[in-house]
């Protein structure tokens, strides 16, 4: 940061909102060059010399940073701890563009609740100093809430409803790959029952994880006649 003013020749101290910088360069009696110190927060810049202290009229805004978050994945309602710097005054926390409710615990920590409908993507924190974006994505785990019909023969198309279906890589019926899969939306998949499938749970796999249905899909098989006795008879 280049600071301009007067009588800087004997400057002994430069602070950013009362955080002292360890090094600075007096370029001339009217200019100082300084690096923003670690831990600095948004506020006035002050320069001190033996005669007194001068404070900037304008506020210097320290841009926030996200250094990490935990857990790395979860379902809607999961409490996510976001770590970073300069979170004071945060006005918004978003998961892949969807706003979340949050609490600023300190200048280096925010706790946010993963909102319903969130999809996998970066976390962002907006403050008066700017917006910080996480280096990695938070992965929203898929869920299966229901499916219809509940039973059917091979070839049946089953509509599966749930959440976070974006990026589906596999749909299985009791461990058997579905015959065809169409991701209709982030909350619905249409999948067909493949030959060789047996009754059991439905699973949906995305890059974030695997969701399993709470109940079984029942495969209905065509009847077979293996024999009869006697070989003939009269009515009754």
């Amino acid at each position: 940061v280049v600071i301009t003013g007067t009588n800087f020749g004997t400057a002994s101290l430069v602070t950013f909102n009362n955080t002292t910088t360890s090094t600075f360069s007096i370029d001339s009696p009217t200019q100082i060059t300084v690096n923003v110190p670690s831990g600095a927060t948004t506020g006035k810049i002050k320069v001190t010399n033996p005669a007194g202290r001068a404070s900037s009229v304008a506020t210097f805004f320290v841009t926030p940073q996200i250094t990490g978050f935990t857990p790395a994945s979860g379902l809607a309602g999961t409490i996510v701890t976001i770590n970073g710097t300069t979170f004071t005054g945060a006005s918004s926390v978003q998961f892949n563009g969807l706003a979340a409710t949050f609490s600023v615990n300190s200048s280096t920590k925010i706790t946010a609740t993963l909102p319903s409908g969130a999809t996998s993507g970066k976390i962002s924190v907006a403050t008066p100093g700017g917006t910080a974006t996480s280096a990695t994505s938070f992965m929203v785990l898929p869920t299966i809430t229901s499916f219809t019909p509940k039973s059917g023969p091979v070839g049946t198309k089953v509509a599966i409803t749930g959440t976070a279906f974006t990026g589906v890589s596999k749909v299985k019926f009791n461990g058997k790959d579905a015959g065809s899969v169409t991701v209709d939306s982030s909350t619905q998949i249409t999948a067909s029952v493949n030959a060789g499938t047996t009754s059991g749970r439905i699973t949906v796999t995305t890059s974030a994880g695997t969701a399993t249905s709470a109940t079984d899909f029942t495969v209905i098989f065509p009847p077979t006649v293996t024999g009869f006795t006697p070989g003939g008879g009269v009515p009754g």
Side-chain angles (χ1 to χ4, degrees), residues 29-225:
T30 60
Q31 181 174 298
I32 290 174
T33 302
V34 60
N35 291 332
V36 180
S38 177
T41 55
T42 296
K44 302 300 178 73
I45 298 175
K46 297 178 182 179
V47 176
T48 303
N49 73 8
R53 174 180 292 178
S55 179
S56 63
V57 174
T59 296
F60 179 85
F61 289 94
V62 181
T63 303
Q65 289 183 311
I66 295 175
T67 56
F69 55 85
T70 185
S73 62
L75 302 170
T78 299
I79 303 299
V80 181
T81 300
I82 306 168
N83 300 309
T85 61
T86 323
F87 287 159
T88 302
S91 57
S92 172
V93 174
Q94 296 186 351
F95 288 81
N96 200 27
L98 186 63
T101 57
F102 65 95
S103 297
V104 180
N105 307 110
S106 68
S107 64
T108 60
K109 180 181 176 183
I110 289 175
T111 51
T113 303
L114 182 67
S116 177
T119 54
S120 297
K122 303 293 181 69
I123 299 174
S124 63
V125 174
T127 74
T131 299
T133 303
S134 61
T136 58
S137 293
F138 181 89
M139 305 304 291
V140 180
L141 299 174
T143 63
I144 296 175
T145 55
S146 65
F147 57 87
T148 185
K150 304 298 182 184
S151 62
V154 169
T156 299
K157 289 189 174 182
V158 181
I160 306 165
T161 57
T163 62
F165 285 162
T166 304
V168 169
S169 58
K170 285 284 185 181
V171 176
K172 293 185 177 184
F173 291 82
N174 199 29
K176 178 72 172 180
D177 286 341
S180 64
V181 176
T182 302
V183 180
D184 307 308
S185 69
S186 64
T187 59
Q188 181 173 301
I189 294 168
T190 302
S192 64
V193 180
N194 208 353
T197 300
T198 55
S199 298
R201 303 298 168 94
I202 299 173
T203 58
V204 172
T205 300
T206 72
S207 55
T210 299
T212 303
S213 62
T215 58
D216 290 350
F217 177 85
T218 302
V219 181
I220 300 173
F221 296 98
T224 60
V225 177

